[in-house]
Amino acid sequence: MTRPAHRHISLKMSVFTGLLYFAVASLALLTSRFEGGLAFIWGANALLMAEMMTARMRAWPRLILSCMFASTIATALFGIGALAAVPMAILNVGEALVVAYICRRLGVGRQIAASMRELCIFIFALAGVANVLAGIGAGLVVSILLGGDFPHIWLQWYSGHVLGGLICTPLLLILLQGEVSVVVPLPAGGSARLATLGPGMSFGEAALLEGGARSAEVRADTQVECGILTREAFEAIERERPALAIRLLRQWLRTAAQTVVRLTSEVSALHD
């Protein structure tokens, strides 16, 4: 069974995610706080969860650090103060990490709005695990550092973060989704799927570089938006921006190598 591809997140995209996290967190703190407490609807973590659930795991540290810094600044400036800003930021990104990890381990991806199984797993991870634990941490931080009431703070955290996650994360995942399958016809009829590509992935490189017929078909599994790179445009990039052309070629080579490794593993498994 082919697993859905996950997006490549660049350093610039990670920084942009942190800036967006800061904006969403600040808006929540300025407009929807409980009296003297936490945000009524905390949608910032939904952004981080959606990014992590659709990104390659090696991009997670960059996303976590970017959003942790954003959370610290937002809480210090507009939330419960600088004293609790760092521990609350750790709890924020910890919540997103727990949800993303559970969902990734159990095969939950971009379709939680369309699959009852994936939606139930997401709700369990968000409401049954991550925010129960993170809420305890938030209650302890605020009660120890600021003298708050532990049960009251736990309830504020839990309701605000669960509500924000349930409302915002499925919508963000829909915005980030879009998958196509690469298939080849079989001699006996029908077709076989070689790979499933998601946002940030590319296809048609062989035809672009060699100029020949395509070796496989690409079929949309969901609603998809694609950019088109023509042979003429790529040749212009080679002339005017050779460094970018080399980066594109390296990415295509890396994708091809990963496909060869996976297909070799699948063929070997068939003969075992």
Side-chain angles (χ1 to χ4, degrees), residues 10 55 69 85 87 112 114 119 123 153 184 200 208 228 235 239 258 261 269:
S10 65
F69 181 75
I112 63 174
L119 180 61
I123 293 175
I153 295 300
V184 294
L208 173 68
I228 299 175
E235 290 174 348
R239 291 191 305 269
Q258 292 171 349
V261 170

Side-chain angles (χ1 to χ4, degrees), residues 20 43 48 58 62-63 118 161 207 214:
L20 191 57
L48 179 55
R58 66 185 178 211
R62 293 195 299 268
L63 291 168
E118 295 193 12
H161 282 242
R214 292 173 174 81

Side-chain angles (χ1 to χ4, degrees), residues 8-13 56 58 62 200 202 205 208-209 229 234 237-238 241-256:
H8 168 71
I9 302 293
S10 65
L11 179 59
K12 290 182 180 179
M13 186 62 188
R56 300 173 185 175
R58 66 185 178 211
R62 293 195 299 268
S202 60
E205 299 91 341
L208 173 68
L209 297 175
L229 178 63
F234 181 70
I237 291 174
E238 287 183 305
R241 301 185 62 185
L244 176 59
I246 291 174
R247 290 178 59 186
L248 287 171
L249 290 170
R250 285 178 176 172
Q251 177 60 38
W252 295 340
L253 181 60
R254 187 180 300 113
T255 301

Side-chain angles (χ1 to χ4, degrees), residues 5 43 53 69 83 98 127 153 180 210 216 265:
M53 289 170 65
F69 181 75
L83 187 61
V98 168
I153 295 300
V180 298
E210 298 297 328
S265 176

Side-chain angles (χ1 to χ4, degrees), residues 21-33 39 41-42 74 78:
Y21 187 104
F22 172 78
V24 175
S26 299
L27 181 64
L29 291 169
L30 289 170
T31 61
S32 68
R33 291 179 66 187
I41 299 179
W42 188 256
F78 309 115

Side-chain angles (χ1 to χ4, degrees), residues 53 103 108-116 118-120 122 165 169-171 173 177:
M53 289 170 65
C103 289
V108 176
R110 304 177 178 90
Q111 304 297 326
I112 63 174
S115 167
M116 183 58 67
E118 295 193 12
L119 180 61
C120 288
F122 171 73
T169 306
L171 298 177
L173 286 171
Q177 76 180 5

